Amino acid sequence: MGFGFGQRRGGQLPVERTSFVGRDAEIALVQEAFTQAPLVTLVGPGGVGKSRTALRAAGGLGERFPDGVWLAELSALRDPELVPATLAAVLELPEQPGMEPLDAVVAHLRGRRLLIVLDTCEHLVDACAMLCDVLLREAADACVLATSRQPLDVPGEQCLVIAPLAAEDAVELFVQRAIAVAPGFAADEDNRAQLSALVGRLDGIPLALELAAVRLRAVPLSHLVARLDQRFGVLTGGRRTALARHQTLRTTIDWSYELCVPKERELWLRLSVFAGSFELATAEEVCAGGELAPEDVLETLVGLVDKSVVQHLSGGAGRYRLLDTLRAYGAEQLAGTDHAASVREAHFAYYRRLGQRLWDELLTEAQVGLYRTARAEAADMRAALGYAYATPGRAREGLWLAAQLASFWRAAGTLSEGQYWIDKGLAQVPEDCWERAWGLLLGGVLAVWGGDLAVAPGRFEEAREVAERCGEERVLLFAEPYLGAMRALGGEVEEGLARLERGRQGIMAAGDPLGISVMHCEGALVRAVFGDTDGALDLCETGLAHLKDTGDRQFYATTLMVQGIILWLAGRHEDSAPPLRRALDAASEVGDVLVAALCCLGLSWYAGRQERYSRAAWLLGYAEGARRLNGDPVAMLPSLLEQQESAQRTVREALGATAFERWHGVGARMTGTEILEAVRADADVPPSARLVPGARQGRPADSLTPREREVAELVARGLSNREVAERLVISKRTADTHVEHILTKLRLRSRAEIPGVLED
């Protein structure tokens, strides 16, 4: 099935890797707070357990949020401007043409009852505050649970302080972690005083307790308490007074660091250059140096995992990560060494090579694996770009890396992030050079796919001029057909199409694989816009023949999608469905949501023609939720928007407004993986809709507003919508809207099901 279309499936939070202790009162307060405030922020010092508490509380709120609980982990993000785009990616929402990511997020969230968990906001507090302020004002049914070391200071925010664990819970946590590392350990009357002394010394801070528990592998509890007491006694001058809590944690981390062997200390510092999680092979390549040979990294990493400094995220050849607090400590220590620059340079060099591989092997069987890697390494790709732009003499390399990732950003649906990094590089590289020529060209390509046809022509023209001055022949080759397309779309149709064709022939003569792949699907779109359907379909066939044996999935999927849509608009309805299905399959392998949404749009029309109206409605719901046509380059096709409106009317009339909204809402809430499963099964009812009845779980009526509850109760008593309107002194149209919202929220098929839900 490939790897789906999103980072995390809606409603699913990470599995807890270790047992959870205490916090019953805090969790109850969090859950109660959402009855009074739409934004709840958990504040407290590092290591106190804010994230764990937030995730546990969020896990118990699913019934209150029928549209899911979505986790945005922000610790690895360093650019405030990318916060909205990051949330869009978490929501599995591709960016909308002509819309800023924040506007697209707001449009998506309106009418949805969901909870967003923004974890680790303190280094992005202004950006998170702005995001929350907009969401709370413009998406009234969405709520946010944030964790931060300081409040966000947003109107409507309710802050809850997460304090260290109470003494009894702190002892329980220490004992559970102790048993995990020393199976024979047990709490009893003989060691109760020692346990109390230890948790008191560590102020009940969970991270400090976990780091201390690991030492029981090497020393018994009595020695551990004595060593801690001695260490803290030195710091307090022998007085048995508690240090400030942040100093308690810092002292515990210092102690853990000092107890590591030299190679473990060195690796800890070097691993701090990773912004996100990492694989063993990556750590071996980036972190080896000095006395730490590549073959030493595995054994040393295992030692850090054993000491709870590094987390092993999954079994087998899995991924690893440093806890945020321990990463910050390592980075601080690394900055004081004489090899800090070389480690950061090794990190940048690794991700520069990854970008080059993606560029060089884009049209091969390696494409799918490279896109999978790029998704997993997104945080460190950003860190590498940030390093390049902040380091004198590296901006040109950063611009080239940003340009090389253009096809990945298009597949991931994060066009604005790609444009952000390319624009940042162009601002730092004003001189004529081949990197600037490529940055301008690929920035123009992203602008086209983002629907910004005002910016794109200028980018292509400047790319051509820079390429001429610096002799970058390949950019000249690519720029020519794009300039022709822009000219045609700007009104000079005959001249523009002639230039487009000359450019295409030049690419064919040069045998440029990427150029051939791109120009045939995009050239087909332009020809179809101006009515040359036969010419467009010929270009699709040529492009598909070229791509057939390359291993590419992205351009193959795009070309099939374009072919299927054009066939439909040309009246060849039966011929359109097979390429759209094949395109959806291929798009799933690289996670291209934009292509998948347009495939579902065409398949919804086909389902409506077959009179499979519920299927047509949920396919429409997914397509319209994932990709609005306004501004989309595909929307320039003649009659496309008219076809869209006609299909909607036909399906709505066949199902009735209530059933249409019900099934449309089902599709709008489906993930890409669920859509692929349902299309492959040729299902009228998506398997996910059967597996997750939603409205029959817990207390569904709790999701209704007071007015919706009032309407639902009148419907349950047998009143028609008109009678409900008269009883409540509202218009019938308002009553109709309330009933449609009730059915959508409760995931019901008809008004007749409402009484049963209210009785649950």
Side-chain angles (χ1 to χ4, degrees):
M1 186 177 288
F3 56 98
F5 301 110
Q7 297 181 3
R8 186 184 301 281
R9 186 165 167 167
Q12 291 189 353
L13 298 172
V15 175
E16 292 182 339
R17 298 175 60 253
T18 55
S19 57
F20 188 88
V21 175
R23 303 297 194 195
D24 291 343
E26 290 93 332
I27 290 169
L29 286 172
V30 172
Q31 296 175 347
E32 174 63 24
F34 279 112
T35 65
Q36 305 166 17
L39 168 63
V40 178
T41 303
L42 307 189
V43 296
V48 81
K50 299 184 295 296
S51 296
R52 289 291 303 268
T53 303
L55 293 177
R56 173 57 71 100
L61 287 167
E63 293 179 2
R64 197 176 300 179
F65 297 101
D67 292 314
V69 179
W70 302 76
L71 171 63
E73 297 167 304
L74 302 179
S75 62
L77 188 65
R78 291 291 176 267
D79 294 273
E81 293 184 47
L82 296 178
V83 169
T86 299
L87 179 56
V90 168
L91 292 168
E92 303 182 357
L93 174 68
E95 294 167 14
Q96 306 300 326
M99 296 178 72
E100 291 295 322
L102 180 56
D103 295 332
V105 167
V106 169
H108 178 76
L109 294 183
R110 284 193 180 116
R112 284 176 164 83
R113 290 185 58 80
L114 52 73
L115 176 65
I116 297 166
V117 181
L118 294 179
D119 188 29
T120 315
C121 298
E122 55 267 10
H123 61 301
L124 300 164
V125 67
D126 290 338
C128 291
M130 183 275 293
L131 172 70
C132 291
D133 187 44
V134 172
L135 293 185
L136 299 187
R137 283 188 288 106
E138 301 190 28
D141 290 333
C143 291
V144 178
L145 174 59
T147 71
S148 176
R149 295 187 188 182
Q150 64 185 92
L152 301 185
D153 287 330
V154 174
E157 177 184 30
Q158 183 165 334
C159 288
L160 298 176
V161 176
I162 301 301
L165 289 170
E168 184 177 344
D169 290 333
V171 169
E172 178 63 23
L173 176 65
F174 181 85
V175 169
Q176 289 192 16
R177 300 298 184 265
I179 291 171
V181 299
F185 184 84
D188 53 36
E189 288 300 323
D190 294 335
N191 61 19
R192 186 173 300 279
Q194 293 172 338
L195 287 170
S196 296
L198 182 143
V199 301
R201 248 328 174 193
L202 297 179
D203 273 340
I205 299 173
L207 178 56
L209 293 166
E210 296 197 14
L211 291 173
V214 173
R215 306 313 307 168
L216 290 178
R217 282 198 182 98
V219 298
L221 178 62
S222 58
H223 291 188
L224 178 62
V225 174
R227 292 185 184 192
L228 269 177
D229 199 50
Q230 181 183 27
R231 180 174 190 85
F232 278 66
V234 169
L235 291 166
T236 59
R239 298 185 304 275
R240 298 191 60 82
T241 55
L243 296 169
R245 280 168 179 157
H246 70 273
Q247 186 61 35
T248 297
L249 180 60
R250 172 63 185 234
T251 303
T252 307
I253 297 173
D254 280 338
W255 181 62
S256 295
Y257 177 74
E258 291 165 12
L259 289 172
C260 291
V261 300
K263 286 185 178 179
E264 290 172 345
R265 295 181 200 170
E266 183 63 28
L267 183 58
W268 182 345
L269 270 55
R270 290 172 178 262
L271 289 174
S272 69
V273 299
F274 289 106
S277 62
F278 53 87
E279 291 184 340
L280 170 62
T282 312
E284 289 173 332
E285 193 164 343
V286 171
C287 297
E291 296 183 2
L292 191 65
E295 58 269 21
D296 295 332
V297 171
L298 173 58
E299 182 180 354
T300 309
L301 184 63
V302 169
L304 290 175
V305 171
D306 287 343
K307 293 177 175 64
S308 294
V309 174
V310 171
Q311 289 183 327
H312 188 192
L313 299 183
S314 60
R319 298 183 68 84
Y320 300 83
R321 72 181 289 264
L322 278 169
L323 289 173
D324 296 335
T325 305
L326 303 184
R327 180 192 294 121
Y329 178 91
E332 180 184 326
Q333 298 294 317
L334 179 65
T337 68
D338 55 8
H339 58 270
S342 65
V343 177
R344 295 191 181 100
E345 181 61 28
H347 179 273
F348 173 66
Y350 177 85
Y351 289 99
R352 185 182 57 195
R353 288 193 297 273
L354 179 58
Q356 189 66 46
R357 275 195 66 203
L358 196 151
W359 181 256
D360 292 340
E361 301 176 46
L362 181 61
L363 298 179
T364 71
E365 292 182 354
Q367 183 192 76
V368 172
L370 285 168
Y371 276 12
R372 193 193 314 273
T373 298
R375 285 177 184 269
E377 303 284 358
D380 281 282
M381 283 289 197
R382 293 185 187 116
L385 287 163
Y387 170 83
Y389 293 147
T391 304
R394 291 294 187 199
R396 286 175 61 171
E397 292 174 279
L399 176 56
W400 177 227
L401 175 58
Q404 287 174 315
L405 294 172
S407 64
F408 164 71
W409 276 313
R410 209 214 79 179
T414 54
L415 298 171
S416 70
E417 179 170 357
Q419 199 69 70
Y420 169 80
W421 290 115
I422 288 175
D423 286 350
K424 198 165 186 176
L426 290 171
Q428 293 191 24
V429 185
E431 68 274 15
D432 287 344
C433 57
W434 64 267
E435 295 96 340
R436 180 171 177 82
W438 276 108
L440 288 163
L441 178 78
L442 292 168
V445 171
L446 291 180
V448 168
W449 278 98
D452 194 348
L453 298 182
V455 167
R459 286 289 172 93
F460 293 133
E461 184 59 42
E462 189 179 353
R464 184 189 63 78
E465 293 169 357
V466 172
E468 281 184 339
R469 290 195 291 267
C470 66
E472 182 54 41
E473 294 295 331
R474 199 175 177 207
V475 170
L476 286 173
L477 197 67
F478 276 69
E480 186 67 14
Y482 273 116
L483 284 167
M486 295 299 101
R487 190 173 180 182
L489 295 171
E492 299 178 61
V493 179
E494 187 174 337
E495 299 88 341
L497 289 178
R499 188 173 186 178
L500 171 63
E501 179 58 20
R502 287 196 302 272
R504 186 189 74 85
Q505 290 178 1
I507 285 174
M508 292 293 286
D512 189 290
L514 180 59
I516 294 171
S517 304
V518 172
M519 284 307 149
H520 283 85
C521 67
E522 299 191 5
L525 267 177
V526 176
R527 287 203 170 277
V529 165
F530 296 105
D532 184 6
T533 302
D534 291 340
L537 292 173
D538 286 345
L539 288 181
C540 288
E541 289 294 346
T542 303
L544 291 171
H546 162 72
L547 290 164
K548 181 179 178 182
D549 298 320
T550 63
D552 159 81
R553 299 283 84 190
Q554 182 179 16
F555 298 105
Y556 182 70
T558 305
T559 308
L560 281 169
M561 177 272 294
V562 170
Q563 182 186 54
I565 294 291
I566 293 174
L567 284 167
W568 178 274
L569 295 177
R572 296 169 58 180
H573 300 141
E574 293 300 321
D575 293 339
S576 71
L580 290 173
R581 291 194 189 99
R582 296 203 306 277
L584 184 61
D585 262 341
S588 77
E589 294 188 55
V590 291
D592 196 324
V593 193
L594 313 185
V595 171
L598 291 165
C599 290
C600 288
L601 187 65
L603 290 171
S604 73
W605 302 339
Y606 184 70
R609 182 177 175 82
Q610 294 179 305
E611 299 184 359
R612 301 172 68 182
Y613 296 118
S614 59
R615 175 180 170 87
W618 54 257
L619 282 167
L620 272 173
Y622 176 78
E624 293 174 352
R627 190 68 171 168
R628 290 169 178 81
L629 286 176
N630 293 332
D632 195 303
V634 179
M636 293 181 292
L637 290 171
S639 80
L640 181 66
L641 291 173
E642 291 88 341
Q643 173 63 48
Q644 170 74 345
E645 292 169 0
S646 173
Q648 272 224 24
R649 285 194 301 271
T650 299
V651 176
R652 182 183 288 271
E653 288 171 4
L655 289 174
T658 298
F660 174 81
E661 293 298 337
R662 147 74 176 157
W663 287 111
H664 191 277
V666 166
R669 288 159 175 78
M670 289 174 71
T671 67
T673 302
E674 290 168 342
I675 279 287
L676 182 66
E677 177 186 9
V679 169
R680 282 178 170 170
D682 197 30
D684 284 318
V685 177
S688 58
R690 289 196 298 269
L691 292 172
V692 188
R696 293 294 182 182
Q697 296 178 346
R699 297 183 58 197
D702 289 349
S703 67
L704 302 180
T705 65
R707 175 62 95 180
E708 288 168 351
R709 176 77 191 212
E710 193 173 14
V711 170
E713 288 174 349
L714 293 174
V715 170
R717 289 161 53 186
L719 274 67
S720 68
N721 287 8
R722 185 171 299 282
E723 290 169 333
V724 169
E726 292 171 354
R727 180 72 62 87
L728 298 179
V729 195
I730 58 178
S731 70
K732 180 180 180 298
R733 184 171 182 177
T734 299
D736 292 341
T737 300
H738 281 312
V739 172
E740 289 172 11
H741 286 172
I742 291 164
L743 293 171
T744 299
K745 285 183 177 182
L746 302 184
R747 305 188 182 192
L748 302 178
R749 301 178 189 224
S750 70
R751 300 167 88 258
E753 294 179 77
I754 291 176
V757 173
L758 296 182
E759 292 169 2
D760 285 350

